Amino acid sequence: MEPEQARRQREELEQAAIRLLTIREHSRVELRRKLQSRCDEPTLLEQVLDGLELRGYQSDARFVEQYVTGRKQKGFGPVRIRQELQERGVASTLIDPQTDPRDSEWQVLLQACCRRKFGDTLPADFKERAKRARFLEYRGFPSELIRDFLWSDSAELL
């Protein structure tokens, strides 16, 4: 590739990446996937991604933080959030601290999610508890938290 053409393609890639990053944060893998069709040379694409990361425009850590916060606000649990981040190509070293199910915040979120869906009424029988457990499991809460919440004395505090 000629130097002038390579420079132009690099600028186009950078501009496209910055446009994507202004809409929302992206992981490095997501950006690579979205920009691959615009680039013939993988090394050029990697150089552009490295430059964006060096200048602080793209950060997987920042992406994880914002993604987890957004998904928590929508009532999703750590198991589902972890799986979604892995699908987006984020390293587990960045995911683990943000999605530790032992964090007491997840218990509070589980209770709020259950209350929002089912109200303040207590589960009447086993069938109702199983229904709530399935819902919470689908939302991505670990079975230990669900079990502790629905089959312990805390279920009385709904």
Side-chain angles (χ1 to χ4, degrees):
M1 185 180 293
E2 298 174 21
E4 180 64 26
Q5 186 181 6
R7 186 187 61 76
R8 218 173 318 119
Q9 189 173 27
R10 180 186 180 93
E11 287 175 1
E12 288 173 8
L13 281 173
E14 279 185 9
Q15 289 173 0
I18 290 172
R19 275 194 305 273
L20 288 169
L21 289 168
T22 57
I23 296 168
R24 70 168 178 88
E25 287 289 336
H26 287 73
S27 70
R28 184 180 178 103
V29 172
E30 282 181 315
L31 271 181
R32 183 182 304 118
R33 197 175 305 135
K34 289 183 178 185
L35 295 174
Q36 271 178 334
S37 63
R38 299 173 182 249
C39 183
D40 302 330
E41 286 191 47
T43 55
L44 180 62
L45 179 56
E46 289 303 316
Q47 289 172 358
V48 168
L49 293 174
D50 288 341
L52 291 170
E53 197 170 344
L54 267 172
R55 288 180 283 178
Y57 294 156
Q58 191 279 324
S59 166
D60 278 352
R62 192 171 57 232
F63 169 73
V64 168
E65 186 177 323
Q66 288 188 356
Y67 190 84
V68 169
T69 301
R71 297 306 274 173
K72 277 181 178 179
Q73 289 173 349
K74 291 183 179 181
F76 290 99
V79 175
R80 182 159 175 176
I81 294 171
R82 171 187 301 280
Q83 185 248 341
E84 290 172 351
L85 285 169
Q86 287 172 341
E87 286 175 359
R88 285 166 172 73
V90 178
S92 56
T93 55
L94 295 173
I95 298 172
D96 291 343
Q98 296 281 336
T99 60
D100 185 3
R102 296 173 299 214
D103 188 351
S104 62
E105 185 179 0
W106 293 112
Q107 185 70 36
V108 172
L109 184 62
L110 180 143
Q111 291 171 359
C113 183
C114 191
R115 194 171 291 120
R116 189 171 43 244
K117 173 75 174 174
F118 299 104
D120 289 333
T121 60
L122 295 173
D125 55 7
F126 180 80
K127 186 176 178 182
E128 180 64 25
R129 282 187 181 186
K131 178 181 177 181
R132 291 180 187 199
R134 281 191 307 276
F135 169 75
L136 292 169
E137 191 172 9
Y138 166 76
R139 297 295 283 191
F141 292 98
S143 55
E144 315 80 64
L145 283 180
I146 296 169
R147 190 173 39 255
D148 288 348
F149 175 65
L150 290 176
W151 278 275
S152 71
D153 294 334
S154 66
E156 306 304 319
L157 301 175
L158 278 174

